[in-house]
Amino acid sequence: MKKIAVLVSGGGSNLQAIIDAVKAGDLNVTIACVGADNPNAGGLTRAREAGIPTFVTDYRALYNSYAQGAMPPADFSLEEVFEKQGLVKAESSEKVKGFLERRALAEADLLNELSFFDVDLLVLAGFMRVLTPYFIDRFNGGASLPRIMNIHPALLPSFPGTDGYGDTFGYGCKVGGCTVHFVDYGEDSGPIIGQAAFSIGPEDDLATVKRHGLAEEWKLYPECIRLYSEGRLNMGERGGRKVVEVVA
Ligand code: GRF
């Protein structure tokens, strides 16, 4: 049976949907642990109530320790992350350096916490931190199938970023949706695993769009994790782009 870890920042309703699917026997995985980037994430309470081990990688506290002189991990290379993210030298300001160094400090802690649970898959469920190549490559470890999944509140590649439903509604879209994808170096740009859509009519406002969207997320995420757990996801290529192929 596959082991997964779930990372949250907030309320964790997607985490709850995954816990419920496992309990109902619809999803055959072990949730080995739930981690958060802050100690107040509501998802931590949901995990504890379900008897799942939890940990916190306190990003804010770690950023403070960086400001007070803590060093990035010894195996962190600024040049390497720059190259992988396609950043050019002109951007190598002190600001960007600080951003990446303190992030690596937090990500090293995250990797350490996760190392105790030996999971197959990392599931981001409302985890509001961007993961850098430092973390992504160490966690993926050269596996042919990526090992980090994310859910995004829009039909990617439209509306990446933090406010997918708001952007969808604000654009006047007549269809909204959500996307589960593997995580790559870009922002919400990794290969798409699954999507669900819903209509937006004249009776809708932002609140109903969010409500419809979340209800779709709660079905879609367990379904995509199930495909992974059944070994039904393969990487393929279309026109030079890496894509996920779902085996029937
Ligand atoms: C969801 O809309 C998800 O798509 C986005 O953040 C929200 C998290 O909600 N990434 P919850 O914490 O799972 O309730």
Side-chain angles (χ1 to χ4, degrees), residues 10-15 125-128 150-153 165 214 217-218:
S13 69
N14 276 288
L15 166 67
F127 186 65
M128 303 308 281
N150 182 42
I151 190 156
H152 180 76
Y165 294 133
L214 269 174
E217 291 185 34
W218 300 334

Side-chain angles (χ1 to χ4, degrees), residues 7-173:
L7 294 184
V8 297
S9 295
S13 69
N14 276 288
L15 166 67
Q16 191 65 54
I18 296 164
I19 292 173
D20 293 347
V22 171
K23 276 195 186 146
D26 296 332
L27 177 58
N28 217 2
V29 300
T30 303
I31 308 173
C33 63
V34 170
D37 65 339
N38 73 86
N40 303 318
L44 291 172
T45 310
R46 294 182 191 265
R48 286 184 201 116
E49 277 166 8
I52 301 166
T54 61
F55 68 84
V56 177
T57 287
D58 193 334
Y59 269 63
R60 186 181 291 183
L62 288 161
Y63 285 6
N64 283 340
S65 72
Y66 175 78
Q68 276 150 32
M71 298 291 285
D75 62 349
F76 171 76
S77 154
L78 190 62
E79 292 69 35
E80 186 193 320
V81 174
F82 255 71
E83 195 185 309
K84 287 178 176 168
Q85 292 209 306
L87 299 171
V88 288
K89 270 271 176 289
E91 290 170 271
S92 79
S93 64
E94 281 304 304
K95 208 172 157 196
V96 177
K97 180 169 175 262
F99 174 86
L100 291 171
E101 283 191 346
R102 62 176 187 261
R103 208 149 272 250
L105 190 65
E107 290 181 345
D109 185 79
L110 202 51
L111 284 166
N112 180 52
E113 293 287 357
L114 287 165
S115 71
F116 297 114
F117 298 97
D118 191 29
V119 297
D120 299 288
L121 179 72
L122 181 60
V123 172
L124 309 182
F127 186 65
M128 303 308 281
R129 304 282 176 175
V130 173
L131 295 171
T132 76
Y134 176 81
F135 180 91
I136 294 169
D137 287 350
R138 279 163 184 76
F139 191 83
N140 278 339
S144 55
L145 196 64
R147 294 175 56 213
I148 311 171
M149 262 187 207
N150 182 42
I151 190 156
H152 180 76
L155 289 171
L156 292 172
S158 290
F159 309 122
T162 52
D163 190 20
Y165 294 133
D167 293 342
T168 300
F169 183 69
Y171 202 88
C173 294

